[in-house]
Amino acid sequence: KNEVEQSPQNLTAQEGEFITINCSYSVGISALHWLQQHPGGGIVSLFMLSSGKKKHGRLIATINIQEKHSSLHITASHPRDSAVYICAALPTDSGNTGKLIFGQGTTLQVKP
Amino acid sequence: KAGVTQTPRYLIKTRGQQVTLSCSPISGHRSVSWYQQTPGQGLQFLFEYFSETQRNKGNFPGRFSGRQFSNSRSEMNVSTLELGDSALYLCASSPLLAPVGEQFFGPGTRLTVL
C-alpha cells in the first residue's frame, strides 16, 4: 500500500460542477502539498497545508491531521481546470527539505 | 523574478551513456530538490541540496548523483543509463530553511534512453 493514496484516479466533470479530490496518507507529516500538472509536464504548487483550510479563487484545500486526510475542491469547474492534480506529503522525519512522498495523481477532465 | 529553469528540455541518449542535467533556481532560493517522474512509478524524490550540501536522498541507485554550486545552481548526473531511466526529471527550488517552504518547480527535462 502506498503511503499517499489519492482518489479518484480519473475524473470527468461537466463545466460548472463542484469537484472533490481526496488524499489519504499513512505517515506523520509536517505539511501536505497540492500540485497541478498540465500536459507538457509543468508543475504548479497550488497549496501547502499543515492544518485547517486554504482558499485561492475557486480552489479550496482542507486537511484533517487526526484523520490523515486532505481534500482539494474546485468550485464552478472550467475546462481550463483540466490537468493532473497531485498531493504530496512531507514526512516529519524529512526535516525542512523537499523529500516529498507523492500520490499517484488524479487526472481531471472538465468538458464544456 | 525569473522562474526555475532547467536545461536541456529534451534529451535522447543510448544505454550505457551518461547524462548531466542542469537546474537554476529562483534567485535567492538556496534549496534545490530533484524528482523523477515515470508513468509506472509516478513522481519520486531523488535528492535535495541546500548550500552545496546534500541534505536528503531518495531510494535510487548510486548511478544517480548530484551537486550544487555556490550560486545555488544544481546539476544531476546519471551514469550508465538504462532504459528505465527514461523519465521527466524535475527540479524545484524553495526559499525557506524553516518552516517548510513552498516548492517552485521547473519545466523539467524529458530524458529518453534508447
Side-chain angles (χ1 to χ4, degrees):
Chain A
K1 193 178 190 295
N2 293 334
E3 292 172 299
V4 178
E5 295 273 359
Q6 284 184 240
S7 64
Q9 289 195 10
N10 296 285
L11 185 54
T12 301
Q14 290 297 130
E15 184 174 355
E17 285 185 355
F18 181 85
I19 289 163
T20 295
I21 300 170
N22 296 299
C23 176
S24 297
Y25 51 92
S26 57
V27 296
I29 66 168
S30 300
L32 185 129
H33 297 251
W34 280 102
L35 310 171
Q36 180 192 57
Q37 186 173 33
H38 282 284
I43 290 180
V44 174
S45 177
L46 299 174
F47 296 103
M48 185 184 67
L49 293 162
S50 54
S51 65
K53 175 180 173 177
K54 287 190 176 181
K55 184 177 189 290
H56 181 72
R58 296 180 294 106
L59 301 177
I60 303 166
T62 64
I63 190 167
N64 185 317
I65 297 296
Q66 287 73 31
E67 295 186 3
K68 295 188 174 180
H69 181 269
S70 178
S71 293
L72 176 69
H73 306 286
I74 305 175
T75 62
S77 59
H78 189 276
R80 65 175 175 267
D81 297 326
S82 298
V84 177
Y85 293 85
I86 303 166
C87 71
L90 181 68
T92 49
D93 62 358
S94 295
N96 294 328
T97 70
K99 191 177 182 181
L100 299 169
I101 303 175
F102 297 88
Q104 71 271 43
T106 295
T107 301
L108 170 65
Q109 183 185 24
V110 181
K111 295 183 175 180
Chain B
K1 262 187 185 177
V4 178
T5 58
Q6 291 187 245
T7 56
R9 292 292 311 278
Y10 301 92
L11 205 49
I12 299 175
K13 292 285 189 178
T14 56
R15 278 181 299 174
Q17 287 187 311
Q18 76 162 16
V19 67
T20 299
L21 311 181
S22 181
C23 173
S24 293
I26 292 172
S27 178
H29 289 196
R30 296 166 64 189
S31 166
V32 174
S33 298
W34 287 90
Y35 305 94
Q36 182 198 63
Q37 186 177 35
T38 60
Q41 298 296 318
L43 273 161
Q44 298 181 88
F45 170 79
L46 278 158
F47 28 65
E48 189 249 2
Y49 287 87
F50 181 86
S51 292
E52 302 179 67
T53 299
Q54 187 181 88
R55 289 201 298 188
N56 236 316
K57 192 175 190 307
N59 296 323
F60 279 81
R63 300 185 296 107
F64 292 81
S65 62
R67 60 178 176 168
Q68 186 179 34
F69 302 95
S70 58
N71 62 357
S72 294
R73 188 177 71 85
S74 178
E75 289 181 346
M76 67 163 283
N77 184 276
V78 188
S79 62
T80 319
L81 284 166
E82 301 176 0
L83 295 178
D85 298 332
S86 294
L88 180 67
Y89 290 88
L90 292 151
C91 78
S93 71
S94 178
L96 297 174
L97 175 61
V100 175
E102 181 180 0
Q103 295 281 306
F104 294 82
F105 286 83
T109 294
R110 189 165 295 279
L111 172 65
T112 302
V113 181
L114 303 176

